[in-house]
Coordinates of all heavy atoms in Angstrom, one line a residue:
M740 N 11.7 -7.9 -12.3 CA 10.8 -7.8 -11.1 C 11.5 -7.2 -9.9 O 12.6 -7.6 -9.5 CB 10.2 -9.1 -10.8 CG 8.8 -9.4 -11.4 SD 7.6 -8.2 -11.0 CE 6.8 -8.9 -9.5
S741 N 10.9 -6.3 -9.2 CA 11.4 -5.7 -8.0 C 11.2 -6.8 -6.9 O 10.4 -7.5 -6.9 CB 10.7 -4.4 -7.7 OG 11.1 -3.9 -6.5
K742 N 12.3 -6.8 -6.1 CA 12.4 -7.8 -4.9 C 11.2 -7.8 -4.1 O 10.7 -9.0 -3.7 CB 13.7 -7.5 -4.1 CG 13.7 -6.2 -3.4 CD 14.2 -5.0 -4.2 CE 14.1 -3.7 -3.5 NZ 13.8 -2.6 -4.3
N743 N 10.6 -6.7 -3.8 CA 9.7 -6.6 -2.7 C 8.2 -6.5 -3.1 O 7.3 -6.3 -2.3 CB 10.0 -5.4 -1.8 CG 10.0 -5.9 -0.4 OD1 9.4 -6.9 0.1 ND2 10.8 -5.2 0.4
F744 N 7.9 -6.7 -4.4 CA 6.5 -6.4 -4.9 C 5.5 -7.5 -4.7 O 5.0 -8.0 -5.6 CB 6.5 -5.7 -6.2 CG 6.6 -4.2 -6.1 CD1 7.9 -3.7 -6.0 CD2 5.6 -3.4 -5.9 CE1 8.1 -2.4 -5.7 CE2 5.7 -2.0 -5.6 CZ 7.0 -1.6 -5.6
K745 N 5.3 -7.9 -3.4 CA 4.3 -8.9 -3.1 C 3.0 -8.2 -2.7 O 2.0 -8.8 -2.5 CB 4.8 -9.7 -2.0 CG 6.0 -10.5 -2.4 CD 6.6 -11.4 -1.3 CE 7.7 -12.3 -1.9 NZ 9.0 -11.9 -1.2
I746 N 3.0 -6.8 -2.7 CA 1.8 -6.1 -2.4 C 1.2 -5.6 -3.7 O 1.8 -5.1 -4.6 CB 2.1 -4.9 -1.4 CG1 2.6 -5.5 -0.2 CG2 1.0 -4.0 -1.3 CD1 3.2 -4.5 0.9
H747 N -0.1 -5.9 -3.8 CA -0.8 -5.6 -5.0 C -2.0 -4.5 -4.8 O -2.4 -4.3 -3.6 CB -1.4 -6.8 -5.6 CG -0.4 -7.9 -5.9 ND1 -0.7 -9.2 -5.6 CD2 0.9 -7.9 -6.3 CE1 0.3 -9.9 -5.9 NE2 1.3 -9.1 -6.3
K748 N -2.4 -3.9 -5.8 CA -3.7 -3.1 -5.6 C -4.8 -3.8 -5.0 O -4.9 -5.0 -5.2 CB -4.0 -2.6 -7.0 CG -5.1 -1.6 -7.1 CD -5.4 -1.1 -8.6 CE -6.4 0.0 -8.6 NZ -7.8 -0.5 -8.4
D749 N -5.5 -3.1 -4.2 CA -6.7 -3.7 -3.5 C -6.3 -4.6 -2.2 O -7.2 -5.1 -1.6 CB -7.7 -4.5 -4.4 CG -8.3 -3.5 -5.4 OD1 -8.5 -2.3 -5.1 OD2 -8.6 -3.9 -6.5
D750 N -5.1 -4.8 -2.0 CA -4.7 -5.6 -0.8 C -4.9 -4.6 0.4 O -4.8 -3.4 0.4 CB -3.1 -5.8 -0.8 CG -2.9 -7.0 -1.7 OD1 -3.7 -7.7 -2.0 OD2 -1.6 -7.1 -2.0
T751 N -5.3 -5.3 1.6 CA -5.2 -4.5 2.9 C -3.9 -4.6 3.4 O -3.4 -5.7 3.6 CB -6.3 -5.0 3.7 OG1 -7.7 -4.9 3.1 CG2 -6.4 -4.3 5.1
V752 N -3.4 -3.5 3.8 CA -2.1 -3.5 4.5 C -2.1 -2.7 5.7 O -3.0 -1.9 6.1 CB -1.0 -2.9 3.5 CG1 -0.8 -3.7 2.3 CG2 -1.3 -1.5 3.1
Q753 N -1.1 -3.0 6.6 CA -0.9 -2.3 7.8 C 0.4 -1.5 7.7 O 1.5 -2.0 7.3 CB -0.9 -3.3 9.0 CG -0.7 -2.4 10.3 CD -1.1 -3.3 11.5 OE1 -2.0 -4.1 11.5 NE2 -0.6 -2.9 12.7
V754 N 0.4 -0.3 8.2 CA 1.6 0.6 8.3 C 2.4 0.1 9.4 O 2.0 0.0 10.6 CB 1.3 2.0 8.4 CG1 2.5 3.0 8.3 CG2 0.3 2.4 7.3
I755 N 3.7 -0.2 9.2 CA 4.6 -0.7 10.2 C 5.7 0.3 10.7 O 6.4 0.1 11.6 CB 5.2 -2.1 9.9 CG1 5.9 -1.9 8.6 CG2 4.1 -3.1 9.9 CD1 6.7 -3.2 8.2
A756 N 5.7 1.5 10.0 CA 6.6 2.5 10.4 C 6.1 3.9 9.9 O 5.3 4.0 9.1 CB 8.0 2.3 9.7
G757 N 6.7 4.9 10.7 CA 6.2 6.3 10.3 C 5.1 6.8 11.2 O 4.6 6.1 12.1
K758 N 4.6 7.9 10.8 CA 3.5 8.6 11.6 C 2.2 7.9 11.6 O 1.4 8.1 12.5 CB 3.4 10.1 11.2 CG 2.7 10.3 9.8 CD 2.5 11.8 9.4 CE 2.1 12.0 8.1 NZ 0.7 12.1 7.9
D759 N 1.9 7.1 10.6 CA 0.6 6.4 10.6 C 0.8 4.9 11.0 O -0.1 4.0 10.7 CB 0.1 6.5 9.2 CG -0.6 7.8 8.9 OD1 -1.0 8.4 9.9 OD2 -0.6 8.2 7.7
K760 N 1.9 4.6 11.7 CA 2.1 3.2 12.2 C 0.9 2.6 12.9 O 0.3 3.3 13.7 CB 3.3 3.3 13.2 CG 3.8 1.9 13.6 CD 5.1 2.1 14.4 CE 5.4 0.7 15.0 NZ 6.6 0.8 15.8
G761 N 0.6 1.4 12.5 CA -0.5 0.7 13.2 C -1.8 0.9 12.4 O -2.7 0.1 12.6
K762 N -1.9 1.9 11.5 CA -3.1 2.0 10.7 C -3.3 1.0 9.6 O -2.2 0.6 9.0 CB -3.3 3.4 10.1 CG -3.5 4.5 11.1 CD -3.8 5.8 10.5 CE -3.8 7.0 11.5 NZ -3.8 8.3 10.8
R763 N -4.5 0.7 9.2 CA -4.6 -0.1 8.1 C -5.4 0.5 6.9 O -6.3 1.4 7.2 CB -5.5 -1.4 8.5 CG -4.6 -2.3 9.4 CD -5.5 -3.5 9.8 NE -4.7 -4.3 10.8 CZ -5.0 -5.5 11.2 NH1 -6.0 -6.1 10.7 NH2 -4.2 -6.2 12.0
G764 N -5.2 0.1 5.8 CA -5.9 0.6 4.6 C -5.8 -0.2 3.4 O -5.0 -1.2 3.4
T765 N -6.5 0.2 2.4 CA -6.4 -0.6 1.1 C -5.5 0.1 0.1 O -5.4 1.3 0.0 CB -7.9 -0.6 0.4 OG1 -8.7 -1.1 1.5 CG2 -7.9 -1.4 -0.7
V766 N -4.7 -0.7 -0.6 CA -3.8 -0.2 -1.5 C -4.5 0.3 -2.8 O -5.3 -0.4 -3.4 CB -2.7 -1.2 -2.0 CG1 -1.8 -0.8 -3.1 CG2 -1.9 -1.7 -0.8
V767 N -4.3 1.6 -3.1 CA -5.1 2.1 -4.3 C -4.2 2.2 -5.5 O -4.6 2.2 -6.6 CB -5.7 3.5 -4.0 CG1 -6.9 3.3 -3.1 CG2 -4.7 4.5 -3.5
R768 N -2.8 2.3 -5.2 CA -1.8 2.3 -6.4 C -0.5 1.7 -5.9 O -0.2 1.9 -4.8 CB -1.6 3.8 -6.9 CG -2.3 4.1 -8.1 CD -2.1 5.5 -8.4 NE -0.9 5.8 -9.3 CZ -0.5 6.9 -9.6 NH1 -1.0 8.0 -9.1 NH2 0.6 7.1 -10.3
V769 N 0.2 1.1 -6.8 CA 1.4 0.5 -6.5 C 2.3 1.3 -7.5 O 2.2 1.4 -8.7 CB 1.6 -1.0 -6.8 CG1 3.0 -1.5 -6.6 CG2 0.6 -1.8 -5.9
L770 N 3.4 2.0 -6.9 CA 4.3 2.8 -7.8 C 5.6 2.0 -7.8 O 6.6 2.1 -7.0 CB 4.6 4.1 -7.1 CG 3.3 4.9 -6.8 CD1 3.6 6.1 -6.0 CD2 2.6 5.4 -8.0
T771 N 5.6 1.1 -8.7 CA 6.7 0.1 -8.9 C 8.1 0.8 -9.0 O 9.1 0.4 -8.3 CB 6.6 -0.8 -10.2 OG1 5.2 -1.1 -10.2 CG2 7.4 -2.0 -10.0
K772 N 8.2 1.9 -9.7 CA 9.5 2.5 -9.9 C 10.0 3.2 -8.7 O 11.2 3.3 -8.4 CB 9.5 3.6 -11.1 CG 9.4 2.9 -12.5 CD 9.3 3.9 -13.5 CE 9.1 3.3 -14.8 NZ 8.5 4.2 -15.8
K773 N 9.1 3.6 -7.9 CA 9.4 4.3 -6.6 C 9.5 3.4 -5.4 O 9.8 3.8 -4.3 CB 8.4 5.4 -6.3 CG 8.6 6.6 -7.3 CD 7.7 7.7 -6.9 CE 7.8 8.9 -7.8 NZ 6.8 10.0 -7.5
D774 N 9.3 2.1 -5.6 CA 9.2 1.2 -4.4 C 8.2 1.7 -3.4 O 8.4 1.7 -2.3 CB 10.6 1.0 -3.8 CG 11.4 -0.1 -4.6 OD1 10.8 -0.6 -5.5 OD2 12.5 -0.3 -4.1
A775 N 7.1 2.2 -3.9 CA 6.1 2.8 -3.0 C 4.7 2.4 -3.3 O 4.4 1.9 -4.4 CB 6.2 4.3 -3.0
V776 N 3.8 2.6 -2.3 CA 2.4 2.3 -2.5 C 1.6 3.5 -2.0 O 2.0 4.3 -1.1 CB 1.9 1.1 -1.8 CG1 2.4 -0.3 -2.5 CG2 2.3 1.0 -0.3
I777 N 0.4 3.7 -2.6 CA -0.5 4.7 -2.1 C -1.6 3.9 -1.4 O -2.3 3.1 -2.0 CB -1.1 5.6 -3.2 CG1 0.2 6.5 -3.7 CG2 -2.2 6.5 -2.6 CD1 -0.1 7.4 -4.8
V778 N -1.9 4.2 -0.1 CA -2.9 3.4 0.6 C -4.0 4.5 1.0 O -3.8 5.5 1.5 CB -2.2 2.9 1.9 CG1 -3.2 2.1 2.7 CG2 -1.0 2.1 1.5
S779 N -5.2 4.0 0.8 CA -6.4 4.8 1.1 C -6.4 5.3 2.5 O -6.4 4.5 3.4 CB -7.7 3.9 0.7 OG -8.8 4.7 1.1
G780 N -6.5 6.6 2.7 CA -6.6 7.2 4.0 C -5.4 7.3 4.8 O -5.4 7.7 6.0
I781 N -4.2 6.9 4.3 CA -3.0 6.8 5.0 C -2.0 7.8 4.5 O -1.9 8.0 3.3 CB -2.4 5.4 4.9 CG1 -3.4 4.3 5.4 CG2 -1.1 5.3 5.7 CD1 -3.7 4.3 6.9
N782 N -1.3 8.4 5.4 CA -0.2 9.3 4.9 C -0.7 10.5 4.3 O -0.2 10.9 3.2 CB 0.9 8.6 4.1 CG 2.3 9.3 4.3 OD1 2.5 9.9 5.2 ND2 3.1 9.0 3.3
I783 N -1.8 11.0 4.8 CA -2.5 12.2 4.2 C -1.5 13.5 4.3 O -1.1 13.8 5.5 CB -3.8 12.5 4.9 CG1 -4.8 11.3 4.7 CG2 -4.4 13.8 4.4 CD1 -5.2 11.1 3.3
V784 N -1.4 14.2 3.3 CA -0.7 15.5 3.3 C -1.6 16.6 2.7 O -2.5 16.3 1.9 CB 0.6 15.4 2.6 CG1 1.6 14.4 3.2 CG2 0.4 15.0 1.1
K785 N -1.4 17.7 3.2 CA -2.1 18.9 2.7 C -1.4 19.3 1.4 O -0.2 19.5 1.4 CB -2.2 20.0 3.7 CG -2.8 19.7 5.0 CD -4.3 19.6 5.0 CE -4.9 19.3 6.3 NZ -6.3 18.9 6.2
K786 N -2.1 19.5 0.4 CA -1.5 20.0 -0.8 C -2.4 21.3 -1.3 O -3.5 21.3 -1.4 CB -1.6 18.9 -1.9 CG -0.8 19.1 -3.1 CD -0.9 18.0 -4.0 CE 0.0 18.3 -5.3 NZ -0.2 17.2 -6.3
A787 N -1.6 22.3 -1.6 CA -2.2 23.5 -2.2 C -2.6 23.3 -3.6 O -1.8 22.8 -4.4 CB -1.2 24.7 -2.1
M788 N -3.9 23.6 -3.9 CA -4.4 23.4 -5.2 C -4.4 24.8 -5.9 O -4.8 25.8 -5.4 CB -5.8 22.8 -5.2 CG -5.9 21.6 -4.4 SD -4.9 20.2 -5.1 CE -6.0 19.6 -6.5
K789 N -4.0 24.8 -7.2 CA -4.1 26.0 -8.0 C -5.5 26.3 -8.5 O -6.2 25.4 -8.7 CB -3.1 25.9 -9.2 CG -1.7 26.0 -8.8 CD -0.9 26.2 -10.1 CE 0.6 26.3 -9.7 NZ 1.4 25.5 -10.5
R790 N -5.8 27.6 -8.6 CA -7.0 28.0 -9.2 C -7.0 27.6 -10.7 O -6.0 28.0 -11.4 CB -7.3 29.4 -9.1 CG -7.9 29.7 -7.7 CD -8.2 31.2 -7.6 NE -9.3 31.6 -8.5 CZ -9.9 32.8 -8.5 NH1 -9.5 33.7 -7.6 NH2 -10.8 33.1 -9.3
R791 N -7.9 26.9 -11.2 CA -7.9 26.6 -12.6 C -8.9 27.4 -13.5 O -8.9 27.4 -14.7 CB -8.0 25.2 -12.9 CG -6.7 24.4 -12.6 CD -7.0 22.9 -12.4 NE -7.9 22.7 -11.2 CZ -8.3 21.5 -10.7 NH1 -7.8 20.5 -11.2 NH2 -9.0 21.5 -9.6
S792 N -9.9 27.9 -12.8 CA -10.9 28.7 -13.5 C -11.4 29.8 -12.6 O -11.0 29.8 -11.4 CB -12.0 27.8 -14.0 OG -12.7 27.3 -12.8
Q793 N -12.3 30.6 -13.0 CA -12.9 31.7 -12.2 C -13.8 31.1 -11.1 O -13.7 31.6 -10.0 CB -13.9 32.5 -13.1 CG -13.3 33.4 -14.2 CD -12.6 34.6 -13.6 OE1 -11.5 34.5 -13.0 NE2 -13.2 35.7 -13.7
Q794 N -14.4 30.0 -11.3 CA -15.3 29.3 -10.4 C -14.4 28.6 -9.3 O -14.9 28.4 -8.2 CB -16.2 28.4 -11.0 CG -17.4 29.0 -11.8 CD -16.9 29.6 -13.2 OE1 -16.0 29.0 -13.7 NE2 -17.4 30.7 -13.6
D795 N -13.3 28.1 -9.7 CA -12.5 27.2 -8.9 C -11.8 28.0 -7.8 O -11.1 29.0 -8.1 CB -11.4 26.5 -9.8 CG -10.6 25.5 -9.0 OD1 -10.8 25.4 -7.7 OD2 -9.9 24.7 -9.7
Q796 N -12.1 27.7 -6.5 CA -11.5 28.5 -5.5 C -10.1 28.2 -5.1 O -9.4 28.9 -4.4 CB -12.3 28.3 -4.2 CG -13.8 28.9 -4.2 CD -13.8 30.4 -4.5 OE1 -13.2 31.1 -3.7 NE2 -14.5 30.8 -5.5
G797 N -9.6 27.0 -5.7 CA -8.3 26.6 -5.3 C -8.3 26.1 -3.9 O -9.3 25.6 -3.5
G798 N -7.3 26.4 -3.1 CA -7.2 26.1 -1.7 C -6.4 24.9 -1.4 O -5.5 24.4 -2.2
I799 N -6.8 24.2 -0.2 CA -6.0 23.1 0.3 C -6.7 21.8 0.1 O -7.9 21.7 0.5 CB -5.6 23.3 1.7 CG1 -4.9 24.7 2.0 CG2 -4.7 22.2 2.3 CD1 -3.6 24.9 1.4
A800 N -6.1 20.8 -0.4 CA -6.7 19.5 -0.5 C -6.0 18.5 0.3 O -4.7 18.6 0.4 CB -6.9 19.1 -2.0
D801 N -6.7 17.5 0.7 CA -6.0 16.3 1.3 C -5.6 15.3 0.3 O -6.6 14.8 -0.4 CB -6.9 15.6 2.4 CG -7.1 16.5 3.6 OD1 -6.2 17.4 3.9 OD2 -8.0 16.3 4.4
V802 N -4.4 15.0 0.2 CA -4.0 13.8 -0.7 C -3.2 12.8 0.0 O -2.5 13.1 1.0 CB -3.2 14.4 -1.9 CG1 -4.0 15.3 -2.8 CG2 -1.9 15.1 -1.5
E803 N -3.2 11.6 -0.5 CA -2.4 10.6 0.0 C -1.1 10.5 -0.6 O -0.9 10.4 -1.8 CB -3.2 9.2 -0.2 CG -4.3 9.0 0.6 CD -5.6 8.7 -0.1 OE1 -5.6 8.7 -1.3 OE2 -6.6 8.3 0.5
A804 N 0.0 10.7 0.2 CA 1.4 10.6 -0.2 C 1.8 9.1 -0.3 O 1.3 8.3 0.5 CB 2.2 11.4 0.7
P805 N 2.7 8.8 -1.2 CA 3.2 7.4 -1.3 C 3.9 7.0 0.0 O 4.6 7.8 0.6 CB 4.1 7.5 -2.4 CG 3.8 8.7 -3.3 CD 3.3 9.7 -2.3
L806 N 3.8 5.8 0.3 CA 4.5 5.2 1.5 C 5.5 4.2 0.9 O 5.3 3.5 0.0 CB 3.6 4.3 2.3 CG 2.6 5.1 3.3 CD1 1.5 4.1 3.6 CD2 3.4 5.5 4.5
N807 N 6.7 4.2 1.4 CA 7.7 3.3 0.9 C 7.2 1.8 1.3 O 6.6 1.6 2.3 CB 9.0 3.4 1.7 CG 10.1 2.6 0.9 OD1 10.3 1.5 1.2 ND2 10.9 3.2 0.0
I808 N 7.4 0.9 0.3 CA 6.9 -0.5 0.4 C 7.4 -1.2 1.7 O 6.8 -2.0 2.2 CB 7.3 -1.3 -0.9 CG1 6.4 -2.5 -1.1 CG2 8.7 -1.6 -0.9 CD1 5.4 -2.2 -2.1
S809 N 8.6 -0.8 2.2 CA 9.1 -1.4 3.3 C 8.4 -0.9 4.7 O 8.7 -1.5 5.7 CB 10.6 -1.2 3.4 OG 10.9 0.2 3.5
N810 N 7.6 0.1 4.5 CA 6.9 0.6 5.7 C 5.5 0.1 5.8 O 4.7 0.5 6.7 CB 6.8 2.1 5.6 CG 8.2 2.8 5.9 OD1 9.1 2.1 6.2 ND2 8.2 4.0 5.5
V811 N 5.1 -0.9 4.9 CA 3.8 -1.5 5.0 C 3.9 -3.0 5.0 O 4.9 -3.5 4.5 CB 2.8 -1.1 3.9 CG1 2.5 0.5 3.9 CG2 3.3 -1.4 2.5
A812 N 3.0 -3.6 5.6 CA 3.0 -5.1 5.7 C 1.6 -5.7 5.3 O 0.6 -5.1 5.6 CB 3.4 -5.6 7.0
L813 N 1.6 -6.8 4.7 CA 0.4 -7.5 4.5 C -0.2 -8.1 5.8 O 0.6 -8.2 6.8 CB 0.6 -8.7 3.5 CG 0.8 -8.2 2.0 CD1 1.3 -9.4 1.2 CD2 -0.6 -7.8 1.5
I814 N -1.4 -8.4 5.9 CA -2.1 -8.8 7.1 C -2.5 -10.2 7.0 O -3.3 -10.6 6.1 CB -3.2 -7.9 7.6 CG1 -2.7 -6.4 7.7 CG2 -3.8 -8.4 8.9 CD1 -3.9 -5.4 7.6
C815 N -2.0 -11.1 7.9 CA -2.4 -12.5 8.0 C -3.5 -12.6 9.0 O -3.5 -11.9 10.0 CB -1.2 -13.3 8.4 SG -1.7 -15.0 8.8
K816 N -4.6 -13.4 8.7 CA -5.7 -13.5 9.6 C -5.2 -14.0 11.0 O -5.8 -13.7 12.0 CB -6.7 -14.6 9.1 CG -7.5 -14.1 7.9 CD -8.6 -15.0 7.5 CE -8.0 -16.3 6.9 NZ -8.1 -16.5 5.5
K817 N -4.1 -14.9 11.0 CA -3.7 -15.5 12.3 C -2.6 -14.7 12.9 O -2.6 -14.5 14.2 CB -3.2 -16.8 12.0 CG -4.2 -17.9 11.6 CD -3.4 -19.2 11.4 CE -4.4 -20.3 10.9 NZ -3.7 -21.5 10.5
C818 N -1.7 -14.1 12.1 CA -0.5 -13.5 12.8 C -0.5 -12.0 12.8 O 0.3 -11.3 13.3 CB 0.7 -13.9 11.9 SG 0.9 -15.7 11.5
G819 N -1.4 -11.4 12.1 CA -1.4 -9.9 12.0 C -0.4 -9.5 10.8 O -0.2 -10.2 9.9
P820 N 0.2 -8.3 11.0 CA 1.1 -7.8 9.9 C 2.2 -8.9 9.7 O 2.8 -9.4 10.7 CB 1.7 -6.6 10.5 CG 0.8 -6.1 11.6 CD 0.2 -7.3 12.1
T821 N 2.5 -9.2 8.5 CA 3.4 -10.3 8.2 C 4.2 -10.1 6.9 O 3.8 -9.2 6.2 CB 2.7 -11.7 8.2 OG1 3.7 -12.7 8.1 CG2 1.8 -11.7 7.0
R822 N 5.3 -10.8 6.8 CA 5.9 -10.8 5.3 C 5.2 -12.0 4.5 O 4.9 -13.0 5.1 CB 7.4 -11.2 5.5 CG 8.1 -10.2 6.4 CD 9.3 -9.6 5.6 NE 9.7 -8.3 6.3 CZ 9.6 -7.1 5.7 NH1 9.1 -7.0 4.5 NH2 10.0 -6.1 6.3
A823 N 5.1 -11.6 3.3 CA 4.6 -12.6 2.4 C 5.6 -13.4 1.7 O 6.8 -13.0 1.4 CB 3.7 -12.0 1.3
G824 N 5.3 -14.7 1.4 CA 6.2 -15.5 0.6 C 5.4 -16.2 -0.5 O 4.1 -15.9 -0.6
Y825 N 5.9 -17.0 -1.4 CA 5.2 -17.7 -2.3 C 5.3 -19.2 -2.2 O 6.4 -19.7 -1.9 CB 5.6 -17.3 -3.7 CG 5.1 -15.9 -4.1 CD1 5.8 -14.8 -4.0 CD2 3.7 -15.8 -4.5 CE1 5.4 -13.5 -4.4 CE2 3.2 -14.5 -4.9 CZ 4.1 -13.4 -4.8 OH 3.6 -12.1 -5.1
K826 N 4.2 -19.8 -2.6 CA 4.2 -21.4 -2.5 C 3.6 -21.7 -3.8 O 2.8 -21.1 -4.4 CB 3.2 -21.7 -1.4 CG 3.2 -23.2 -1.0 CD 2.5 -23.5 0.2 CE 1.0 -23.7 -0.1 NZ 0.2 -23.9 1.0
I827 N 4.3 -22.8 -4.4 CA 3.9 -23.3 -5.7 C 2.9 -24.5 -5.4 O 3.2 -25.4 -4.7 CB 5.1 -23.8 -6.6 CG1 6.1 -22.7 -6.7 CG2 4.5 -24.3 -8.0 CD1 5.7 -21.5 -7.5
D828 N 1.7 -24.3 -5.9 CA 0.6 -25.3 -5.7 C 0.3 -25.8 -7.2 O -0.5 -25.1 -7.9 CB -0.5 -24.8 -5.0 CG -1.6 -25.8 -4.7 OD1 -1.3 -27.1 -4.9 OD2 -2.7 -25.5 -4.4
G829 N 0.8 -26.9 -7.6 CA 0.6 -27.4 -9.0 C 1.2 -26.4 -9.9 O 2.3 -26.1 -9.9
D830 N 0.4 -25.8 -10.8 CA 0.9 -24.8 -11.7 C 0.5 -23.3 -11.2 O 0.7 -22.4 -11.9 CB 0.4 -25.0 -13.2 CG -1.1 -25.0 -13.3 OD1 -1.8 -24.9 -12.3 OD2 -1.6 -25.3 -14.4
K831 N 0.0 -23.3 -10.1 CA -0.3 -21.9 -9.5 C 0.7 -21.5 -8.5 O 1.2 -22.3 -7.7 CB -1.8 -22.0 -8.9 CG -2.8 -21.6 -9.9 CD -4.2 -21.5 -9.2 CE -4.7 -22.9 -8.9 NZ -6.1 -22.8 -8.3
K832 N 0.9 -20.2 -8.4 CA 1.7 -19.6 -7.4 C 0.8 -18.9 -6.4 O 0.0 -18.0 -6.8 CB 2.6 -18.6 -8.0 CG 4.0 -18.3 -7.4 CD 4.9 -17.6 -8.5 CE 5.6 -16.5 -7.8 NZ 6.4 -15.6 -8.8
I833 N 0.9 -19.3 -5.2 CA 0.0 -18.7 -4.2 C 0.9 -17.9 -3.2 O 1.9 -18.2 -2.8 CB -0.7 -19.9 -3.3 CG1 -1.4 -20.8 -4.3 CG2 -1.6 -19.3 -2.3 CD1 -1.9 -22.1 -3.5
R834 N 0.3 -16.7 -2.9 CA 0.9 -15.9 -1.9 C 0.5 -16.3 -0.5 O -0.6 -16.5 -0.2 CB 0.5 -14.4 -2.2 CG 1.4 -13.4 -1.4 CD 1.0 -12.0 -1.9 NE -0.4 -11.8 -1.6 CZ -1.0 -10.6 -1.8 NH1 -0.4 -9.6 -2.3 NH2 -2.3 -10.5 -1.5
V835 N 1.6 -16.6 0.3 CA 1.3 -17.1 1.7 C 2.0 -16.4 2.8 O 3.0 -15.6 2.5 CB 1.7 -18.6 1.8 CG1 0.9 -19.5 0.9 CG2 3.3 -18.7 1.5
C836 N 1.6 -16.4 4.0 CA 2.2 -15.8 5.1 C 3.5 -16.7 5.4 O 3.4 -17.8 5.5 CB 1.2 -15.9 6.4 SG 2.0 -15.6 7.9
R837 N 4.5 -15.9 5.7 CA 5.8 -16.6 5.8 C 5.9 -17.3 7.3 O 6.7 -18.2 7.5 CB 7.0 -15.7 5.8 CG 7.4 -15.5 4.3 CD 9.0 -15.4 4.2 NE 9.3 -14.5 3.1 CZ 10.2 -13.7 3.1 NH1 11.0 -13.5 4.2 NH2 10.5 -12.9 2.1
K838 N 5.1 -16.8 8.2 CA 5.1 -17.4 9.5 C 4.3 -18.6 9.6 O 4.8 -19.6 10.2 CB 4.6 -16.4 10.6 CG 5.4 -15.2 10.7 CD 4.8 -14.2 11.8 CE 5.5 -12.8 11.7 NZ 4.6 -11.8 12.5
C839 N 3.1 -18.7 9.1 CA 2.2 -19.8 9.3 C 1.8 -20.5 8.1 O 1.2 -21.6 8.1 CB 0.9 -19.4 10.1 SG -0.1 -18.4 9.1
G840 N 2.2 -19.9 6.9 CA 1.8 -20.6 5.7 C 0.4 -20.4 5.1 O 0.1 -21.0 4.1
E841 N -0.4 -19.7 5.8 CA -1.7 -19.4 5.5 C -1.8 -18.5 4.2 O -1.0 -17.6 4.0 CB -2.4 -18.6 6.6 CG -3.9 -18.5 6.4 CD -4.7 -19.7 6.9 OE1 -4.1 -20.6 7.4 OE2 -5.9 -19.6 6.7
A842 N -2.7 -18.8 3.3 CA -2.8 -18.0 2.0 C -3.2 -16.6 2.3 O -4.0 -16.4 3.2 CB -3.8 -18.7 1.1
L843 N -2.6 -15.6 1.7 CA -3.0 -14.3 1.9 C -3.8 -13.7 0.8 O -3.6 -14.1 -0.4 CB -1.7 -13.4 2.0 CG -0.8 -13.7 3.3 CD1 0.5 -12.9 3.1 CD2 -1.5 -13.3 4.5
Ligands
LIG106 ZN1 0.3 -16.2 9.4

C-alpha cells in the first residue's frame, strides 16, 4: 500500500497547492501508481483532439490533468482541509480527521 492513499474515488477534496489552490471537487479517479488523483473540474488543461473520422472536427477539448496526491486534502466539517488518519473501532477501520478526530 502506498503511504498516502487515504483519498478515495468520490471523496470531496480541496486543492492546497498549485494554480487551482482553494478549489474543491470530487475525486473521479485515483492513479495509485502515479501518486495522483483526477478531480472533477480541477486542473483543466486544453488537449488537442485528433480527427478520427470525416464527421469528427477534432479540435481542442478540456480535460482534467492528474494532481499529485500531496496537493489535495480531505475536508473536515469542522476544520476544513485536513490530513486523514485511521481509527480502529471494533473490527472496523474508520477514516478520521487528524486534528479533531471526526469521521471523514
Ligand atoms: Zn477536523
Side-chain angles (χ1 to χ4, degrees):
M740 268 299 272
S741 176
K742 62 277 169 211
N743 231 333
F744 274 87
K745 292 175 177 121
I746 292 173
H747 306 141
K748 189 174 181 286
D749 297 329
D750 280 343
T751 299
V752 294
Q753 182 160 334
V754 182
I755 53 172
K758 72 179 170 91
D759 285 329
K760 189 174 172 182
K762 288 189 190 169
R763 291 179 182 194
T765 305
V766 175
V767 290
R768 251 175 94 191
V769 178
L770 307 168
T771 319
K772 282 179 190 159
K773 289 183 176 174
D774 278 357
V776 289
I777 293 176
V778 183
S779 176
I781 305 288
N782 208 23
I783 299 292
V784 294
K785 302 279 183 195
K786 194 176 175 185
M788 304 300 276
K789 282 195 184 127
R790 278 183 67 169
R791 281 160 300 186
S792 67
Q793 291 285 79
Q794 289 76 32
D795 190 349
Q796 295 296 305
I799 306 291
D801 288 341
V802 295
E803 285 128 349
L806 285 159
N807 193 277
I808 200 109
S809 61
N810 291 347
V811 298
L813 287 163
I814 300 160
C815 169
K816 285 188 291 255
K817 290 183 189 169
C818 315
T821 189
R822 298 234 164 251
Y825 283 102
K826 192 171 83 177
I827 307 294
D828 182 16
D830 55 0
K831 269 186 287 182
K832 209 163 133 187
I833 303 171
R834 197 172 59 178
V835 295
C836 170
R837 275 216 215 142
K838 290 180 197 165
C839 70
E841 191 82 3
L843 292 173

